């Protein structure tokens, strides 16, 4: 998880306000598929923090 998110393939960098390039908002509804969504960044960072806690 950590190495994949750091790749330029997944980071939007200066292309938009969200950190991640590829996220899914509402798959059953078919909306926000493979989009850069700012609230997905929150869940990604939360997962990284939880992963770090487990390792410690």
């Amino acid at each position: 998880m950590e190495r994949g998110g750091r790749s330029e393939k997944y980071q939007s960098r200066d292309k938009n306000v969200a950190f991640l390039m590829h996220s899914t908002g509402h798959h059953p509804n078919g909306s926000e598929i493979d989009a850069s969504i700012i609230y997905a960044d929150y869940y990604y960072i939360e997962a990284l923090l939880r992963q770090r806690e487990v390792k410690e």
Side-chain angles (χ1 to χ4, degrees), residues 29-48:
N29 193 38
S31 65
E32 298 178 315
I33 306 296
D34 195 25
S36 191
I37 306 167
I38 199 159
Y39 63 85
D41 298 346
Y42 169 81
Y43 291 110
Y44 176 71
I45 302 237
E46 182 178 343
L48 288 176

